[in-house]
Amino acid sequence: MVGKARRRSAQGRASTRLKSSFETAAERLPDDLLVDILSRVPVKSLCRFKCVSKHWLGLIDHPEHRRKLPQTLVGFFCNNDESVIQFTSVTESSYPLIDTSFAFLPNCGQLELLDCCDGLLLCGCYTQGNEFRYVVFNPATEMWVMLPDSGYNGEVGTTRLGFDRAVSSHFHVFVLLEGNHDSDRYITGAYLYSSTTGRWIYKEKGWDRYIGLHTGGSGAVFLNGYLHLYCYDHDVLCPCVAMVHKEGETWMFFDSPSFVQDAILQQSQGHLHFAGFKSDYGEDDDYDDLSVTRIVVYALKDYDKDEWILKHSIEALHIGEIDDLILIHPYRNTIFFSMGPVMCYNMNRQQAKVVCNDGECEPPYLPYVPLYAKLESLHM
């Protein structure tokens, strides 16, 4: 026992010396060099490095360094009860407040919040001549571009933005059109805009089925060059995830988890995630006597297999009376939801806490990760 105690004591001293030597070496680095090193690490690691020292925390949170360092989720855009855009912060850092009037946008009256993707915002804009146009802009740099008129004036199912800062400085806009089949709504085609070409193209749907937007859930994800939508296959009466390539040449679909209510489709840690409420019934399958409602979170790890893996499940009442699931954190195992205040639930620790008491917030709930790079597809 004495030998083991001595070994543990020696190991502890060695660990302390190693930590001390690391801190001493790091303290000798010039701030500019340290910021350059930190700019090359993943977001998750950068968040951990805030705990190294007060000096590191100050460097990482300094406004002048944000342009160089990778960013994480700071909040989400949504509408208030008067359909006016508002921003809800979910971070304790010193990120500046966002003026959601977006006064830097010229010739733009009322804005309609449509989508947010990897730091860029897509809105419908009514010009001073009362003409409707789409505008894409970056709230962090106040750079923007108003898109040309697509020439389409019919009914639109949804309009979404596709952008991946790690792949390209260009963005894509998807305008999904809808039609009627019997009493069901289904996607008939899409107008697609690319900032690379600066023009719109039209593509008819590439599915051989009647697939429409799901009315019992929400969410759209731009990943690997495809827009992913939570949809419903009216031919087989099952929910699915529909995919449209950014150039409209490829249209695909695959099954989504079944029997999940009020679901959201999101991207987290590089994979599609699907979350919602699922009711478990008793052994007698008495549908008039629900036993428990659970929050379930699925992840799609392998596209080739189209196999959803149950990542987390918890009884909803263990958290409280939840109004809406809002979003899944893009870099962490965390879910945000509303129950009066905005709450977050850590799946690893199985703990929930209040992150915001800003009052009512209505869909869409659009996660926002700031982007400080200047893009050639936008201008001042």
Side-chain angles (χ1 to χ4, degrees):
M1 294 294 291
V2 174
K4 289 183 179 179
R6 287 175 177 170
R7 283 196 296 273
R8 283 196 294 268
S9 177
Q11 291 169 354
R13 289 195 299 271
S15 176
T16 301
R17 286 197 299 270
L18 182 62
K19 181 179 179 182
S20 177
S21 62
F22 168 76
E23 290 174 346
T24 303
E27 289 169 358
R28 290 198 295 264
L29 292 175
D31 286 353
D32 289 347
L33 178 57
L34 185 54
V35 170
D36 183 65
I37 294 172
L38 292 174
S39 70
R40 304 170 192 272
V41 303
V43 171
K44 194 171 183 179
S45 299
L46 188 68
C47 293
R48 291 173 177 170
F49 288 155
K50 290 183 179 182
C51 303
V52 169
S53 67
K54 290 183 178 179
H55 180 61
W56 280 41
L57 174 62
L59 283 177
I60 294 170
D61 278 347
H62 196 286
E64 292 184 2
H65 299 151
R66 290 196 182 108
R67 297 182 184 275
K68 298 181 179 179
L69 300 177
Q71 300 297 313
T72 188
L73 180 76
V74 297
F76 60 90
F77 290 99
C78 58
N79 287 318
N80 64 16
D81 55 5
E82 297 180 351
S83 296
V84 176
I85 301 173
Q86 71 176 41
F87 178 75
T88 300
S89 174
V90 297
T91 179
E92 297 176 355
S93 69
S94 57
Y95 186 80
L97 295 176
I98 295 178
D99 180 5
T100 54
S101 68
F102 304 119
F104 59 87
L105 295 174
N107 193 29
C108 233
Q110 181 182 355
L111 290 174
E112 179 184 353
L113 181 64
L114 296 174
D115 203 3
C116 183
C117 186
D118 212 11
L120 299 186
L121 211 59
L122 169 66
C123 288
C125 165
Y126 290 91
T127 66
Q128 292 178 358
N130 203 31
E131 180 185 8
F132 180 84
R133 300 281 288 277
Y134 294 113
V135 59
V136 175
F137 59 95
N138 184 343
T141 64
E142 298 189 353
M143 298 182 71
W144 58 273
V145 65
M146 190 169 291
L147 307 191
D149 186 4
S150 67
Y152 177 75
N153 297 314
E155 190 169 353
V156 172
T158 188
T159 304
R160 293 293 182 169
L161 177 64
F163 175 66
D164 187 343
R165 68 180 76 181
V167 175
S168 172
S169 62
H170 288 279
F171 64 85
H172 303 267
V173 175
F174 302 75
V175 179
L176 280 299
L177 313 182
E178 282 190 324
N180 290 311
H181 174 65
D182 295 332
S183 59
D184 300 318
R185 304 288 292 167
Y186 75 101
I187 296 171
T188 60
Y191 276 91
L192 307 172
Y193 177 86
S194 169
S195 65
T196 305
T197 63
R199 63 185 181 89
W200 292 91
I201 60 173
Y202 173 75
K203 294 289 182 178
E204 291 187 0
K205 73 179 181 75
W207 307 306
D208 58 356
R209 298 189 182 183
Y210 292 102
I211 293 176
L213 299 171
H214 203 302
T215 58
S218 63
V221 175
F222 184 73
L223 186 64
N224 301 326
Y226 285 86
L227 178 69
H228 300 71
L229 296 158
Y230 183 40
C231 289
Y232 192 82
D233 188 337
H234 295 289
D235 285 0
V236 295
L237 305 181
C238 283
C240 66
V241 174
M243 300 168 59
V244 182
H245 189 261
K246 60 186 180 182
E247 296 175 358
E249 298 298 335
T250 307
W251 298 58
M252 299 185 290
F253 63 93
F254 55 89
D255 292 341
S256 66
S258 300
F259 307 110
V260 179
Q261 303 296 319
D262 299 325
I264 55 174
L265 180 69
Q266 304 257 290
Q267 183 274 137
S268 180
Q269 302 168 75
H271 298 282
L272 281 181
H273 279 62
F274 185 89
F277 299 94
K278 190 170 186 177
S279 297
D280 290 340
Y281 298 90
E283 294 182 359
D284 296 332
D285 289 339
D286 185 355
Y287 287 83
D288 294 327
D289 184 20
L290 297 180
S291 57
V292 64
T293 298
R294 309 185 69 85
I295 298 174
V296 290
V297 181
Y298 295 87
L300 185 68
K301 298 291 186 180
D302 191 337
Y303 264 85
D304 294 332
K305 295 181 180 178
D306 294 342
E307 182 179 350
W308 293 94
I309 299 172
L310 181 61
K311 185 174 182 177
H312 192 76
S313 175
I314 185 173
E315 289 188 24
L317 287 179
H318 285 177
I319 299 176
E321 295 185 8
I322 298 174
D323 298 325
D324 292 304
L325 293 182
I326 295 176
L327 57 93
I328 303 171
H329 199 292
Y331 303 110
R332 303 176 187 172
N333 292 327
T334 302
I335 310 171
F336 292 88
F337 56 90
S338 64
M339 48 186 297
V342 175
M343 309 279 293
C344 73
Y345 170 74
N346 187 305
M347 289 182 266
N348 296 336
R349 299 176 182 175
Q350 298 189 23
Q351 294 177 345
K353 67 176 183 179
V354 176
V355 296
C356 178
N357 284 294
D358 281 352
E360 293 297 324
C361 188
E362 298 180 0
Y365 307 113
L366 303 174
Y368 177 61
V369 178
L371 173 67
Y372 292 98
K374 292 186 177 181
L375 305 180
E376 59 181 280
S377 55
L378 305 178
H379 55 76
M380 297 295 286

